Amino acid sequence: MITMKKIISTYHNKKRRILWLIFLICFLYITGTLISICTYSRMDETCRSDVVIVLGAATYPNDVSPVYRERLNHGIDLYRQGYVEKMIVTGGTAEGNQHSDAYTAMQYVISRGIPKEDVLMEETSSITQENLENAKELMDQNDYRQALIVSDPLHMKRAMLLAEDAGIQAFSSPTPTTMYHSLKTKIPFAARELFYYIGYQWYRIFR
């Protein structure tokens, strides 16, 4: 005879198994996503394109941050090596700054020998998604079809997904050098990218 106690015990055992299964699925999903972000960071698709889009990072009142400098330097190298003839620098105006991040970035690349007429500014964004959506508008206005996307390696997987959703025919060109080179800096950056990448995937499902 099945007693109420046995029924309750069976119910709790099934509940525990289901919870463990959910935990395992979540663990495998998160781990797999993190591995894919790290693997993608080494993917370099650099090829001849119409323009390079340098994704924004912080700037100071009169200079770019070390993170943005690495990205801009790579964009400059791509221009000098003949991969592109135009650059799009991105970023709006942060609180406390007189100029936009894009304006400060433009001044930096001009000081490194890039002609002003070959630099376009996207000055209204505050996040990567806006960087790329606004850059796509600039591309359409100038009849550019292909773009190299430049950012830090661990940022590239999410950036390329956002570029695809923005309608950009994009190719990954991660910076060969980065400020996120030690475990102390890599781990927080990778964790942040994991959080935002998973969040954006869920956003795509329900938008």
Side-chain angles (χ1 to χ4, degrees):
M1 181 177 178
I2 300 176
T3 64
M4 182 59 68
K5 185 176 180 180
K6 189 171 183 180
I7 292 173
I8 293 173
S9 176
T10 301
Y11 168 77
H12 285 305
N13 287 336
K14 286 184 178 179
K15 186 178 179 181
R16 279 193 293 269
R17 284 197 293 270
I18 291 171
L19 289 174
W20 273 110
L21 180 60
I22 292 172
F23 172 80
L24 179 61
I25 291 171
C26 290
F27 175 78
L28 292 174
Y29 170 65
I30 291 171
T31 303
T33 302
L34 180 59
I35 291 172
S36 71
I37 289 172
C38 294
T39 301
Y40 199 95
S41 71
R42 296 188 290 272
M43 183 176 295
D44 190 338
E45 302 172 324
T46 301
C47 61
R48 185 75 172 83
S49 299
D50 297 313
V51 65
V52 56
I53 301 172
V54 183
L55 297 181
T59 62
Y60 308 128
N62 296 305
D63 198 8
V64 295
S65 66
V67 172
Y68 206 177
R69 184 180 299 115
E70 295 297 317
R71 298 178 185 183
L72 292 168
N73 286 342
H74 184 46
I76 291 168
D77 287 342
L78 293 172
Y79 178 94
R80 288 174 175 169
Q81 292 168 19
Y83 285 107
V84 297
E85 295 180 357
K86 302 290 181 180
M87 295 180 65
I88 297 177
V89 292
T90 64
T93 305
E95 185 177 351
N97 285 358
Q98 181 179 358
H99 300 294
S100 69
D101 295 343
Y103 178 84
T104 305
M106 182 184 71
Q107 296 304 310
Y108 177 82
V109 300
I110 289 174
S111 72
R112 297 308 189 271
I114 305 300
K116 184 177 181 179
E117 60 269 21
D118 289 342
V119 185
L120 289 77
M121 292 189 295
E122 179 287 298
E123 296 187 273
T124 59
S125 62
S126 58
I127 57 175
T128 303
Q129 184 176 359
E130 293 172 351
N131 285 167
L132 291 160
E133 290 173 348
N134 297 342
K136 177 61 165 64
E137 293 181 8
L138 289 174
M139 289 180 65
D140 291 343
Q141 292 167 13
N142 291 275
D143 199 29
Y144 300 149
R145 301 188 180 280
Q146 294 183 337
L148 296 177
I149 307 298
V150 166
S151 191
D152 289 88
L154 288 171
H155 189 205
M156 291 309 304
K157 186 172 178 67
R158 181 165 65 95
M160 293 301 291
L161 178 62
L162 291 165
E164 178 186 339
D165 286 355
I168 299 173
Q169 185 179 351
F171 300 92
S172 173
S173 187
T175 57
T177 56
T178 175
M179 297 305 296
Y180 303 104
H181 50 76
S182 67
L183 283 179
K184 185 178 179 180
T185 54
K186 269 186 179 180
I187 291 174
F189 188 61
R192 188 187 73 178
E193 281 305 306
L194 176 65
F195 175 80
Y196 283 123
Y197 185 82
I198 290 176
Y200 184 70
Q201 283 188 318
W202 282 96
Y203 164 77
R204 293 175 87 210
I205 293 172
F206 295 106
R207 66 180 174 181

